[in-house]
Amino acid sequence: KNKKYAPKAQSKKLALLVLLVTLLLSGIGYYKFNVENQRAQALLDESDKIPPVVNLSKPGSGDELTAGEKTNITASANDNVRIASVEFSVDGAVLERVKKPPFKTSWFPEFPGTYQVVVVARDGAGNKSVPDYTLVDVEPNPQEQAAMVKSGGK
C-alpha cells in the first residue's frame, strides 16, 4: 500500500518545490525591479531643479466660514518629476502634510476672525513651490451666539 502512495507524495513535494522556487525567483525579480526603480527615481530627483506649482482650490478668497464647523481645504499640485508632499497650514501652524493625491485636509476653526490658509508643495528633489494662500473670514457660530444670548452671556 505505501508504495502506491509514494509517487503521489513525491509529485506533491516536487510541485511544492517548484512553487517555492517560482515564488522565490519572482520575489527576487520584484525586489530587483523596485531597487532599480528607486535608483532611477533618485537620479531624476537629483537632476530636478524645477520647483513644483501648487494652487489652493478651496476655500476661496473671501470665503466666510463658521466657527466650530468643519472646513475642507483642497489644493492641486504639479511637478515635472513628482510631488513628494503638499503642506497645509493656517496662520503658520501646519495642519497636515499630504503625500498622495487628492491633496486635501480638514480644519475646524474654533474662533471667529480672519485667517491665512497656505499651501506649499515639495517635490522629490526637495524643491519648494511658491506658497499659495488666501484669507478667510470665520464668523461666529449662530447656534453658539443664540445659546449665549439665551444664557445671558454666561
Side-chain angles (χ1 to χ4, degrees), residues 19-51:
L19 177 63
L20 287 173
V21 168
T22 303
L23 289 173
L24 178 65
L25 290 176
S26 65
I28 289 170
Y30 178 77
Y31 174 77
K32 185 176 179 185
F33 172 77
N34 269 348
V35 168
E36 291 301 318
N37 193 24
Q38 288 172 354
R39 285 183 186 149
Q41 187 64 55
L43 288 174
L44 278 174
D45 287 346
E46 282 179 18
S47 64
D48 181 13
K49 303 295 182 212
I50 301 170

Side-chain angles (χ1 to χ4, degrees), residues 56-102:
L56 180 62
S57 308
K58 186 179 176 185
S61 181
D63 279 3
E64 289 186 4
L65 311 176
T66 304
E69 292 185 3
K70 177 182 173 182
T71 298
N72 292 318
I73 304 173
T74 60
S76 61
N78 295 299
D79 188 58
N80 63 320
V81 178
R82 71 179 176 97
I83 296 292
S85 68
V86 172
E87 180 180 281
F88 295 88
S89 61
V90 175
D91 283 353
V94 175
L95 296 175
E96 185 175 6
R97 283 185 187 92
V98 179
K99 295 184 178 186
K100 293 182 180 181

